[in-house]
Amino acid sequence: MATAKGKIKTVFFCNECGFESPKWVGQCPACKAWNTMTEERINASASVAKTVKEALQGETVIAKIDEITLEKDDYVPTGMQEFDRVLGGGIVPGSLTLVGGDPGIGKSTLLLQICRLMGQKGHSILYISGEESLKQIKIRALRLGEFNDKVELMCETSLTVIEEVIRRKKPEIVVIDSIQTMFLEEVTSAPGSVSQVKESTGVFMRLAKGLNVSILIVGHVTKEGTVAGPRVLEHMVDTVLYFEGDRHGAYRILRGVKNRFGSTNEIGVFEMRASGLTEVENPSEFMLEGRPKDASGCVVTCSMEGTRPILVEIQALVSRTNFGIPRRQAQGTDTNRLNLLMAVLEKRVGLTLNDCDAYLNIAGGMKVTEPAIDLGIVLSVVSSFRNKPLPPSLAAFGEVGLSGEVRSVSQIEGRVKECKKLGFTTCIVPETGKDALQEIKGIKIYYVASVTDAIKVLDEV
Ligand code: TYD
Ligand code: MG
């Protein structure tokens, strides 16, 4: 009989959740997604036996929570404030961070800039690229400024080599660009496949925890918007960040999706320039830039992104439909939400919208999912439907319920203050905010209980 070691077997992995099955099935038994199983050849026994053996060799520490001491330098700031904010203060030593995003969005640029800043602070850094040659990286680096000798580069895709180099050099920070190009010889499937990505991440995980190096991994995103390879990758790492934005536009947003060391709602805003990414200190100003004057259908609303209120402009275009079925389309927010809010307007306010097409856009290309922008959506639809512009100094926010009521939102005061900071003089907010909000000089506040009330305010101002 053949020994178990080296025996190749074929298994099927779900692209969505990483579920492993010995035979092909149409629907993944774990996440119920259809047609997501892909065939891969793996080396039967090696990986499990190895991890168990390794696990037993390592020292296991059992501790009482009270007895664990925390050190001040648990977060190492990168010097790039927007990045630190998303991470919760900086990079945690021994952590594994995944930076996902569409190809060409600027992940390599961002990480190289972070390497540069960290290098200047005296941290030792190893940037490992499986995608570009040393010369290509140099060309990019020239645009970003001077690098000191703390930053070292390596072009390599073999994990066996990478592991050995990291173990010998013990840098403080390692960047892997990208996980889809890395491969382990023992895993027979191609780089980028589910089992390769899973096993490679496992290796980096052990390296990060074992040697206390912080590892930042780049992962490309698929059409469906998840990091190529399985979701398991997201489960394994400590922090998942997504770098998003319109590739044709200049701004980029770094969003925390999972964070074991901080909040996940924070975002960092950057602008892509010829000399790399620069931080945008006042995102509201940035998002409202170039706002049209006296255009119907435009309303400014406020969304909380983590601890930061950000003003965004909602644009609606409502026009009579030319076909039997009206078209509804929303960019930057959920189309279903638009449909729902239009139904509320029909039923509770009596607007005849059933034969109207409606297009909604969040200007600046931001993606907002917070329900607090509901009132903004509603008012922009009304404004476009009536073809009546709203005063440019007005902002509105509040969640809208199915019976047309305007419900409370968190941190009203912070939002109103942000509006004031950017020169708005009128705010429409939920009635429930009355208690939470003290009078703020220079800004007139209308408290509304329902969508009908809010529309009445429009006629007043
Ligand atoms: P890149 O970091 O290579 O993207 P990713 O690693 O996510 O695939 O970024 C590529 C884009 O960024 C490229 O289209 C050019 C642009 N860019 C700038 O506009 N300015 C710069 O200084 C740099 C380095 C890149
Ligand atoms: Mg890249």
Side-chain angles (χ1 to χ4, degrees):
M1 208 175 81
T3 52
K5 196 167 166 46
K7 193 173 154 194
I8 307 287
K9 70 170 184 178
T10 300
V11 291
F12 295 82
F13 284 103
C14 169
N15 287 331
E16 288 289 320
C17 67
F19 181 82
E20 190 181 325
S21 159
K23 61 180 195 325
W24 188 85
V25 283
Q27 186 187 28
C28 170
C31 70
K32 305 282 180 260
W34 286 96
N35 231 353
T36 54
M37 304 302 282
T38 40
E39 181 178 354
E40 277 176 27
R41 285 148 63 81
I42 59 160
N43 198 332
S45 54
S47 67
V48 174
K50 203 170 144 199
T51 44
V52 172
K53 213 169 143 199
E54 263 182 25
L56 288 175
Q57 272 172 358
E59 235 176 80
T60 309
V61 184
I62 299 174
K64 296 197 174 81
I65 288 193
D66 282 351
E67 287 168 3
I68 305 167
T69 49
L70 294 178
E71 268 130 61
K72 256 234 167 83
D73 54 349
D74 268 349
Y75 292 94
V76 183
T78 60
M80 194 183 262
Q81 274 171 19
E82 294 290 303
F83 191 77
D84 289 345
R85 182 208 311 277
V86 180
L87 284 180
I91 298 178
V92 177
S95 67
L96 198 59
T97 307
L98 172 69
V99 181
D102 289 330
I105 202 77
K107 302 180 292 295
S108 307
T109 310
L110 176 73
L111 291 177
L112 205 56
Q113 274 182 273
I114 285 162
C115 290
R116 176 171 169 264
L117 290 171
M118 300 285 280
Q120 283 168 352
K121 291 173 152 210
H123 300 284
S124 54
I125 292 153
L126 181 60
Y127 185 102
I128 303 170
S129 178
E131 300 200 330
E132 290 159 310
S133 67
L134 291 174
K135 287 216 171 99
Q136 284 172 313
I137 302 173
K138 172 75 185 172
I139 293 170
R140 186 199 304 275
L142 281 177
R143 298 167 71 169
L144 306 176
E146 299 234 327
F147 281 73
N148 66 8
D149 56 6
K150 285 297 219 176
V151 186
E152 292 182 294
L153 302 177
M154 179 166 94
C155 290
E156 185 57 68
T157 52
S158 162
L159 267 174
T160 324
V161 178
I162 292 173
E163 189 171 354
E164 192 51 36
V165 171
I166 295 179
R167 279 192 196 284
R168 275 196 210 155
K169 286 187 81 82
K170 291 209 180 65
E172 284 168 68
I173 291 155
V174 174
V175 174
I176 306 293
D177 190 0
S178 66
I179 190 74
Q180 277 96 8
T181 55
M182 302 294 151
F183 74 97
L184 260 176
E185 282 84 356
E186 295 100 80
V187 183
T188 40
S189 56
S193 63
V194 180
S195 46
Q196 278 288 6
V197 167
K198 207 164 125 181
E199 295 294 331
S200 316
T201 314
V203 170
F204 289 124
M205 182 82 159
R206 284 198 293 277
L207 277 174
K209 308 290 163 198
L211 302 174
N212 206 31
V213 287
S214 314
I215 304 187
L216 297 152
I217 299 177
V218 170
H220 292 300
V221 159
T222 58
K223 287 198 294 298
E224 293 81 34
T226 51
V227 173
R231 262 280 152 80
V232 277
L233 185 54
E234 294 187 11
H235 294 307
M236 288 166 86
V237 299
D238 297 310
T239 308
V240 180
L241 310 177
Y242 271 102
F243 204 36
E244 53 187 44
D246 182 1
R247 204 180 321 165
H248 308 293
Y251 85 92
R252 302 282 186 273
I253 287 171
L254 186 71
R255 198 181 284 279
V257 182
K258 163 182 172 180
N259 193 349
R260 286 194 182 141
F261 314 110
S263 122
T264 52
N265 311 322
E266 296 293 347
I267 65 166
V269 185
F270 299 89
E271 189 182 345
M272 181 64 99
R273 298 217 184 131
S275 57
L277 293 153
T278 44
E279 302 175 57
V280 174
E281 272 162 33
N282 193 333
S284 297
E285 210 167 89
F286 195 70
M287 291 298 156
L288 297 183
E289 216 166 68
R291 200 150 63 95
K293 288 196 182 79
D294 286 333
S296 67
C298 297
V299 174
V300 171
T301 187
C302 183
S303 165
M304 283 312 282
E305 299 289 343
T307 49
R308 253 198 314 192
I310 294 184
L311 297 190
V312 287
E313 185 196 352
I314 297 183
Q315 305 183 321
L317 183 69
V318 180
S319 62
R320 206 140 296 280
T321 180
N322 288 321
F323 304 102
I325 306 164
R327 264 180 78 90
R328 306 274 161 90
Q329 205 175 334
Q331 201 144 51
T333 189
D334 188 10
T335 304
N336 293 328
R337 196 82 199 152
L338 171 66
N339 275 324
L340 185 146
L341 293 170
M342 288 184 73
V344 169
L345 277 174
E346 281 220 59
K347 185 99 180 165
R348 310 287 173 197
V349 186
L351 298 187
T352 344
L353 293 166
N354 59 359
D355 57 350
C356 289
D357 291 342
Y359 303 92
L360 194 83
N361 182 27
I362 309 266
M366 259 223 7
K367 286 197 183 70
V368 190
T369 46
E370 212 205 351
I373 66 162
D374 284 356
L375 192 59
I377 298 179
V378 164
L379 295 184
S380 65
V381 168
V382 171
S383 160
S384 177
F385 179 73
R386 295 175 166 179
N387 207 9
K388 220 174 123 188
L390 301 186
S393 58
L394 176 125
F397 52 82
E399 185 182 342
V400 173
L402 286 187
S403 41
E405 82 276 21
V406 176
R407 310 173 70 105
S408 65
V409 295
S410 62
Q411 307 191 44
I412 291 200
E413 191 171 339
R415 294 182 207 245
V416 173
K417 281 193 173 148
E418 180 74 7
C419 294
K420 186 176 172 231
K421 202 165 95 194
L422 283 145
F424 288 83
T425 53
T426 320
C427 256
I428 307 183
V429 308
E431 193 174 38
T432 42
K434 242 179 197 160
D435 311 327
L437 203 59
Q438 280 154 11
E439 202 174 317
I440 297 175
K441 257 205 194 121
I443 193 154
K444 173 119 185 71
I445 295 172
Y446 289 92
Y447 296 96
V448 295
S450 69
V451 172
T452 323
D453 289 355
I455 294 173
K456 267 190 210 139
V457 173
L458 292 191
D459 300 329
E460 251 175 65
V461 292

